[in-house]
Amino acid sequence: MAEVRLRGIRKSYGPVQVFDNFALDIRDGELLCLLGPSGSGKSTLIRLIAGLEPLEAGSIFIGPRDVTALEPRHRHIGMTFQGYALYPHLSVRRNLSYPLQVRKIADAEIARRVTSTAAQLGIGHLLDRRIRQISGGEQQRVAIGRAIIQEPELYLLDEPISNLDASLRESVRGELRRLQQTLGATMVMVTHDQMDALAVADRIAVLQQGKLQQIGTPRDLYRRPANLFVARFIGRLRMNFLSGRVAEGEGGAPMLHGDGFSLALPVEIARRLDSARGEIVVGFRPEAVEILPTQVAGAISVVAAGELFHGEQTIELFDRGEEQVQAMLAVPLGLKRGSSAWLRPAPDALHFFDRETGERLADKDATREETR
Amino acid sequence: MIPTFGASFRRGLRAFAAFLVLFVFLCPVLWMLITAIKPPGEWLNSPPIFWPSNIDLGNFTEALGRWGGFKGLVDSLAVASGATLLSLVVGVFAAYSLGRFRTGGETLSFSILSVLFMPPVAVAVPMYLFWRAFGLLDSFTALILQYTVFNVPFICWVLKSFFEDIDPTMEESALVNGATRWRAFVDIAVPLARPAIVAVALLSFIFSWNEFFFAVILTRARVTTLPVILPTLMEGHDIRWGSIAAIATIAALPVIALTFALQRYLVRGLSFGAIR
Ligand SMILES: Nc1ncnc2c1ncn2[C@@H]1O[C@H](COP(=O)(O)OP(=O)(O)OP(=O)(O)O)[C@@H](O)[C@H]1O
Ligand SMILES: [Mg+2]
């Protein structure tokens, strides 16, 4: 069993406080992606789990063991580092066997495990090369090999695919996912690329400035981002945001009024809102809009600003005064620049946020992260 | 492509300049070697004799025997190797600690470095009294420790920046992979710093081998390193130039041999931080 529990973690570097009273649960056998922008504390978090950074407060459990006071070598973790941290003065073979040699495993067993690990990762032909003599993608495999050869129950991978070029990333993502499933191990993978996280993770934990913004399945995060930060961060295309105020429409139905639009506000949200409370931000994804030539209810007035070709899809760019809005469509519309159009988001694909706090305003299926 | 006149002219000029510089620097060395194999009558002849009439190795036997050159060689080797080994042990650990853990902050590492800025004359008398108080005058211990004091700051300074430039995640990955701090140091940090370690070892050896000032002050007859033998040959009327040249040759050879043997490390080790 290798679930990981972090409780009340506090950590600073000099005057820079990275974590304060931070808690996180990682489930046994899951692939958890730590997602966040640069400097959000992802590396620091896994270095804390590995025991490479001293804690100021809090405790860390791996399975039933309290490892808070244990040295890294006693935590039994397979880890890869952001720059791979391979040993340049040793051959690939010695890099792979190093963890077994320091643990005084018998030579025959080491040889067997090196061969099988190298075969599993397709690096058998590189064993006698130096690290300098292999490519970046091959180095990444050696780094992963050095982690899995120890057969640990917990893996910590710091940006394992970020340094690879785009075509390689795609295939390595799939391989990592398959590897994690074959190993049946708990894996924490750091990435700052949300596409990597959405593609491979069982669950994603979004970090910003050392605060856990949201944790949930990729679907959860995509469908119900907990706040503006997550909404902005997740998704292939940036979500569109408009702000408006709550007002009473015809027949007393609650409406959200903004510059050039007026949208029906779900009663569940309106009921919980004190209408004097100020501005609401509504977000909708470019994938969930229709473009209309004439004004209808629930449509937003925009001005065409150009088109981007994306293979199967086309991205239409629009201006709304200073703001930009985009829509992704299967069929290019060929709108003339400067012509006006109306954009209608699908009513069930609207996300409402409190402008001040950035928090999501609860909607009808408002069970935040599904409990388990 | 046919080289233009200008290019080949410049190349020729550069070769000539290099030759001139080498000539100026190597002339005294050459003269030393020639004098060492000249018979007595030809040492100070006027006009100078550029090649001896017959090669005379008597200077070497006289230098090694009568003038104590053999004992000097043995003592020099003992002092220089002892000081180098001790300096390395202390220096490598200290430099790793300063570079990796920032022990003592900038203050400590700068105070250690500042020992190098101190003129030796300033401490000569205090050091003499110090060793006398311990009854260690004219002993290997005193000379080895004294040279260690001068070598360690230099070693620290060079190796500290070398260790700082080694990516710490390599040692950290060793820690996660099951190594103790000590193992990570021995298996990862030391091999990666090897060119620099070899370079500072060589320079420490050369310093200890050549050192004259403290050797004269701290030793008498029990310990005599090669540099202190030389002036004893210049006393009296009959200065034995041939023997002086022979001792100088003997003193120069190990250093030259070591430098050639280790030159590939020297270049890498002294270009700070160039590890990859
Ligand atoms: N050794 C250190 N000394 C001082 N500050 C540090 C140190 N390591 C990290 N920090 C700071 O801690 C914060 C979190 O850093 P961390 O490396 O964990 O971020 P990250 O999410 O991994 O970023 P990236 O995506 O760039 O790798 C940053 O503000 C960083 O500047
Ligand atoms: Mg990082």
Side-chain angles (χ1 to χ4, degrees), chain A residues 11-19 34-47 53 82 158-159 190-192 207 209-210:
Chain A
K11 170 74 193 169
S12 5
Y13 292 108
V16 185
Q17 183 155 73
V18 185
F19 294 111
L34 283 179
L35 178 64
S38 193
S40 54
K42 310 178 296 291
S43 297
T44 306
L45 190 61
I46 63 167
R47 290 170 58 83
E53 295 285 346
Q82 211 164 342
D158 197 350
E159 311 246 4
V190 169
T191 175
H192 59 253
L207 276 183
Q209 295 186 342

Side-chain angles (χ1 to χ4, degrees), chain B residues 96-181:
Chain B
Y96 186 71
S97 171
L98 292 174
R100 185 56 85 231
F101 308 116
R102 316 222 152 266
T103 311
E106 283 303 303
T107 321
L108 180 62
S109 59
F110 195 76
S111 340
I112 292 176
L113 179 74
S114 69
V115 172
L116 289 179
F117 301 147
M118 187 178 46
V121 201
V123 287
V125 175
M127 284 321 296
Y128 175 83
L129 298 175
F130 177 85
W131 295 121
R132 194 179 64 175
F134 287 96
L136 286 174
L137 285 180
D138 204 12
S139 73
F140 285 107
T141 316
L143 219 49
I144 287 175
L145 288 175
Q146 188 69 57
Y147 292 168
T148 302
V149 168
F150 293 124
N151 285 335
V152 164
F154 164 73
I155 294 180
C156 275
W157 197 249
V158 175
L159 291 188
K160 170 180 172 272
S161 63
F162 224 86
F163 283 128
E164 277 171 351
D165 284 350
I166 296 177
D167 181 357
T169 62
M170 286 192 266
E171 287 142 68
E172 286 167 352
S173 86
L175 295 181
V176 176
N177 288 334
T180 56
R181 254 287 157 205

Side-chain angles (χ1 to χ4, degrees), chain B residues 71-93:
Chain B
K71 177 174 160 46
L73 192 63
V74 172
D75 286 6
S76 272
L77 270 177
V79 169
S81 335
T84 303
L85 270 180
L86 189 60
S87 312
L88 265 193
V89 172
V90 177
V92 169
F93 286 129

Side-chain angles (χ1 to χ4, degrees), chain A residues 118-229:
Chain A
Q120 193 176 1
L121 294 168
I123 49 174
H125 58 295
L126 304 172
L127 284 176
D128 294 311
R129 301 239 199 118
R130 288 290 179 111
I131 297 305
R132 256 173 288 235
Q133 299 163 337
I134 63 177
S135 73
E138 290 163 344
Q139 289 184 14
Q140 185 254 5
R141 274 152 207 274
V142 177
I144 289 180
R146 194 176 59 182
I148 67 176
I149 202 165
Q150 308 172 56
E151 301 172 2
E153 289 182 318
L154 173 63
Y155 289 91
L156 305 173
L157 312 182
D158 197 350
E159 311 246 4
I161 49 187
S162 305
N163 296 339
L164 304 178
D165 56 60
S167 60
L168 202 53
R169 282 173 81 132
E170 207 111 315
S171 65
V172 174
R173 257 189 219 159
E175 282 176 44
L176 269 180
R177 180 59 175 161
R178 220 165 307 142
L179 191 67
Q180 185 262 342
Q181 278 163 348
T182 0
L183 297 167
T186 310
M187 199 176 266
V188 182
M189 181 176 129
V190 169
T191 175
H192 59 253
D193 182 335
Q194 44 97 19
M195 292 308 288
D196 288 342
L198 288 175
V200 302
D202 289 313
R203 290 195 308 157
I204 300 175
V206 181
L207 276 183
Q208 193 214 4
Q209 295 186 342
K211 302 254 174 351
L212 188 60
Q213 302 295 317
Q214 186 172 9
I215 181 165
T217 62
R219 189 175 287 261
D220 280 341
L221 268 60
Y222 188 81
R223 294 234 175 121
R224 279 200 305 281
N227 55 36
L228 275 173
F229 178 80

